[in-house]
Amino acid sequence: MREPWGLRVDVGLPGHVARHIVAAPTPEILRHLTGTLTVAGTWLKLCGPAQAVVPHLPPGWDVKDPEFMMTAALVREPARPAPPGYHLAVTTRAGVTAVRLLTTAGEVAARGQFAVAGATAVVDRVETGDGHRRRGLGTAVMRTIAATAAAKGARTGVLVATAQGQALYSTLGWSLHTPVTAAVLTSR
């Protein structure tokens, strides 16, 4: 949902009730948000480096590891086969497309999801299971996400990456747009 400062996403999970995404976090906006948000588990995703925003956060906000907003041009490509030993499942429900790589036993080895808003695909929850890392599964998921999103009309992809994810996405042609500082309200 659009808000005067950016976007609000009602997540509804324990420890992650809502997320406020602020593209241009000014001291005034941060004072307003931190003064009115009272529910533990509310997150701020602030587009800017920690040194620029953390001094404006009052006690009770737990700052997380640095994150990185990245973007990429999306190109329609033919589907690629899943890596040996895995099969690909792509499903769409309520506007969210999930891409999963499954083992022959049906275990989710790697996954990611996206939703298209206009000409932009917003990518989220990309992860590879512990026992399946270093096998190219993250690359396969990201390539499938990009091709599927492009086939649905998206021309640009956007995501927020961890430091580890940033390394993978950079090899796939994604570029840093801005550092992101994440903070969660733990107490009032």
Side-chain angles (χ1 to χ4, degrees):
M1 170 176 289
R2 290 208 177 276
E3 298 286 355
W5 57 84
L7 298 173
R8 184 187 81 229
V9 179
D10 294 319
V11 180
L13 296 173
H16 201 149
V17 176
R19 183 184 310 165
H20 297 266
I21 303 160
V22 184
T26 64
E28 296 77 25
I29 290 171
L30 293 175
R31 262 193 307 279
H32 169 74
L33 288 172
T34 59
T36 58
L37 299 174
T38 60
V39 178
T42 299
W43 287 73
L44 297 176
K45 294 282 188 154
L46 308 167
C47 295
Q51 64 268 27
V53 296
V54 170
H56 304 288
L57 298 177
W61 289 90
D62 181 28
V63 177
K64 300 301 184 181
D65 291 337
E67 297 178 342
F68 308 90
M69 181 179 287
M70 302 183 78
T71 62
L74 302 178
V75 179
R76 237 179 150 158
E77 295 182 354
R80 296 183 187 204
Y86 299 93
H87 69 274
L88 190 62
V90 179
T91 57
T92 301
R93 188 172 70 178
V96 176
T97 299
V99 173
R100 296 174 298 147
L101 279 171
L102 305 170
T103 66
T104 53
E107 173 191 2
V108 177
R111 67 172 314 277
Q113 63 186 31
F114 71 90
V116 176
T120 303
V122 180
V123 180
D124 191 29
R125 302 189 70 178
V126 177
E127 58 190 347
T128 301
D130 289 339
H132 302 280
R133 294 195 173 123
R134 313 301 293 160
R135 298 179 189 178
L137 303 186
T139 296
V141 165
M142 286 303 296
R143 285 188 173 143
T144 302
I145 285 173
T148 307
K152 291 179 177 280
R155 297 294 158 246
T156 303
V158 64
L159 58 79
V160 176
T162 62
Q164 184 179 11
Q166 183 187 24
L168 167 65
Y169 306 134
S170 293
T171 66
L172 297 173
W174 291 70
S175 301
L176 177 65
H177 179 72
T178 184
V180 174
T181 302
V184 60
L185 181 60
T186 56
S187 65
R188 222 34 185 128

